[in-house]
Amino acid sequence: MNELIGTTLKEQYFLRELAGSGAMAEVYLAWDSLRATKMAVKILRRDLASNHQFYQAFEKEAKLLSDLQHPNIVRLYEFGREGDIVFIVMAWVDGGNLRQRIDELRRPFTLPETAQILQPICSALNFAHNNPKPAFHCDIKPSNIMLHENGRDVFLADFGVARLASEKGGGGTPPYMAPEQFSRNVGAKTDIYALGVTVYEMLSGGKLPYHGDSSSPGTTTRAKYEWEHNNLPLPPLGQFNHSLPQTIIGVVSRALQKEPRLRFDSALAFWEAFDRARNSAPSVAISPPPTERPTFLEPLPSKQQNVGRPAPPIPPPQPRVSPRAMTPVKPGAPHIYGRSGEMSGQSLPVLKQGLKIGRGASCNVQLHERSVSRSHATIFTTKRGIYVRDDGSALGTLVNGKRIPPNAPMALHHGDVIQIGFYQIFEFRMR
């Protein structure tokens, strides 16, 4: 469908270039003249658009995405038709995907790098699985995990074969499929298994546990993969990465149990187990080569601010705390979202009287990490906007990876990342 390059759909979406293609649809990079931004336009193949079955499947993907408005799921903007062109308009993610990153890196991911990707994907899956209309992705794999070029934002993409809880279906990519998926039985734990394979691949430096070998029983490649997933023991992850602590290996192994009942109960439980394991052994993860640009790491103070200062202390293990009750946030209300740490996955509205963060009993957001000061930072509202102020904390407050001066309010914008202490990371959101 290269002939569509240069076409404008609905007098709004100008198709600039073909970005990718599949068996059912092709994706174009488009310019949205109304919003003045880039978009991804997914177009159903013209020879399939008149087929009612394929049209329904494409429409179902659009309806499913409209119910899955989550910060870490690629956002749907529109489902439409113009003549014989059926299309979906989605957010464009500048950057690449995890498949490309694994291939480029050619080494195991460090634990912080893995966590920076695993946490938002678990958050997205937890939302989809617990939605009023629960949905299962059914095709978790590195090429469906998008990495923004800003080095911090991660998105789950391609719900093309996703299934609602009321449906049965197959889908999937054989190297990442759970044993039960080959029999067209899917559920939340099917996605957990596929995500477990993805984490295995990251931590092993690109090695997959199963390969569909020619020596395996079965007449097709899919049948060979099915036999391996059902019958072969999981190859020890430690043989590919000798630096991994046993606790991390145990977490990945549990996600890859052949019996669904033996896996984690939820994607959120998977993340929490991984997070506890990595924080219990912070010194064993390998480090990237010194010449390599770090990616997907928690923000650190700038080098310039550390000149002439002693090296910062080694971060202590993150405290284990009980889950807190969710605080309701009105749509469009300013709030902070916990990206990692004690408030991970939770949203907290910015109160009119201010949001005080610290270890002290008087704080609205009371944290337990030792590197957090008793009165660490405050987020407050003025007529001019919303600001964050470091209240003279010992370790400082970081916004988008840069330390802000104490007692000097800084204006916040949608998407700004705020770091409190070593582990507590929040994102400021206006929608």
Side-chain angles (χ1 to χ4, degrees):
M1 292 198 295
N2 278 322
E3 70 273 11
L4 290 178
I5 294 175
T7 302
T8 300
L9 299 177
K10 297 189 70 174
E11 300 183 349
Q12 181 176 347
Y13 306 111
F14 176 74
L15 306 183
R16 285 183 172 180
E17 62 183 76
L18 182 65
S21 60
M24 183 175 171
E26 294 186 333
V27 178
Y28 285 82
L29 167 61
W31 178 255
D32 182 341
S33 59
L34 180 61
R35 300 183 179 91
T37 190
K38 289 183 283 188
M39 290 286 182
V41 177
K42 187 173 182 179
I43 298 178
L44 182 64
R45 276 176 38 191
R46 286 186 174 184
D47 58 322
L48 301 178
S50 58
N51 184 304
H52 185 64
Q53 181 181 357
F54 284 102
Y55 180 87
Q56 276 193 320
F58 203 64
E59 185 180 34
K60 192 199 81 169
E61 179 183 355
K63 288 180 178 178
L64 185 62
L65 279 172
S66 68
D67 290 332
L68 296 178
Q69 297 295 318
H70 183 277
N72 301 115
I73 295 177
V74 175
R75 182 178 177 183
L76 170 82
Y77 283 90
E78 184 175 349
F79 171 70
R81 183 165 196 161
E82 186 166 301
D84 61 348
I85 300 176
V86 180
F87 62 93
I88 295 172
V89 180
M90 300 174 292
W92 176 266
V93 179
D94 278 314
N97 60 48
L98 181 57
R99 171 79 278 140
Q100 295 166 326
R101 182 62 182 150
I102 291 173
D103 294 342
E104 291 168 359
L105 206 58
R106 296 184 179 181
R107 63 159 173 84
F109 281 56
T110 65
L111 295 186
E113 288 170 335
T114 305
Q116 199 83 354
I117 293 169
L118 181 61
Q119 190 276 328
I121 297 304
C122 283
S123 177
L125 285 176
N126 199 67
F127 177 80
H129 295 165
N130 292 283
N131 205 48
K133 297 179 181 177
F136 315 124
H137 189 281
C138 298
D139 200 17
I140 303 293
K141 57 184 177 181
S143 60
N144 284 336
I145 295 175
M146 309 302 295
L147 310 179
H148 197 282
E149 64 182 9
N150 64 17
R152 66 174 184 266
D153 291 327
V154 182
F155 303 92
L156 183 57
D158 201 349
F159 277 78
V161 297
R163 303 288 174 181
L164 296 173
S166 59
E167 300 175 347
K168 285 189 175 182
T173 303
Y176 303 89
M177 286 169 61
E180 69 274 9
Q181 192 170 3
F182 289 93
S183 302
R184 303 181 65 82
N185 294 315
V186 298
K189 295 190 177 185
T190 308
D191 286 342
I192 290 172
Y193 184 97
L195 185 56
V197 176
T198 301
V199 173
Y200 184 106
E201 189 175 3
M202 293 167 66
L203 293 174
S204 67
K207 304 294 191 300
L208 284 165
Y210 306 113
H211 306 92
D213 291 334
S214 57
S215 58
S216 296
T219 56
T220 64
T221 301
R222 181 184 175 91
K224 293 178 186 295
Y225 271 111
E226 179 178 3
W227 185 88
E228 291 177 5
H229 280 284
N230 276 282
N231 297 282
L232 290 185
L234 183 68
L237 182 53
Q239 69 178 327
F240 303 117
N241 186 344
H242 302 298
S243 301
L244 281 178
Q246 193 58 45
T247 50
I248 290 291
I249 294 174
V251 170
V252 178
S253 297
R254 182 173 176 186
L256 290 172
Q257 289 293 310
K258 299 185 185 303
E259 288 286 339
R261 61 183 179 83
L262 299 178
R263 297 173 208 152
F264 293 103
D265 289 334
S266 67
L268 186 58
F270 184 7
W271 159 248
E272 289 174 342
F274 184 92
D275 196 37
R276 285 195 302 269
R278 78 180 178 107
N279 286 321
S280 66
S283 62
V284 296
I286 62 172
S287 299
T291 57
E292 184 174 339
R293 178 178 61 87
T295 57
F296 288 93
L297 297 174
E298 294 176 357
L300 297 171
S302 66
K303 292 181 180 179
Q304 183 178 3
Q305 292 163 333
N306 284 326
V307 174
R309 296 186 181 183
I314 296 174
Q318 187 175 349
R320 300 182 185 182
V321 294
S322 301
R324 307 184 187 195
M326 295 290 287
T327 304
V329 175
K330 296 180 180 178
H335 62 282
I336 57 173
Y337 174 81
R339 287 180 49 163
S340 72
E342 299 172 38
M343 308 300 293
S344 178
Q346 301 195 41
S347 297
L348 299 166
V350 177
L351 307 173
K352 289 184 178 180
Q353 64 269 31
L355 202 60
K356 192 173 181 181
I357 305 171
R359 287 192 295 115
S362 62
C363 293
N364 307 104
V365 182
Q366 190 176 9
L367 304 171
H368 300 83
E369 183 191 322
R370 286 178 294 166
S371 62
V372 176
S373 296
R374 293 185 63 81
S375 181
H376 198 108
T378 302
I379 299 174
F380 57 94
T381 303
T382 72
K383 292 182 179 179
R384 294 186 176 183
I386 298 177
Y387 292 77
V388 60
R389 179 188 65 229
D390 179 81
D391 294 332
S393 65
L395 193 64
T397 300
L398 279 65
V399 176
N400 298 328
K402 295 182 180 180
R403 188 189 302 268
I404 63 174
N407 301 308
M410 178 177 178
L412 289 173
H413 303 90
H414 179 75
D416 283 347
V417 176
I418 306 164
Q419 180 169 341
I420 306 291
F422 285 118
Y423 297 109
Q424 316 304 320
I425 299 179
F426 301 91
E427 182 178 331
F428 175 70
R429 295 175 176 174
M430 294 290 290
R431 52 182 183 268

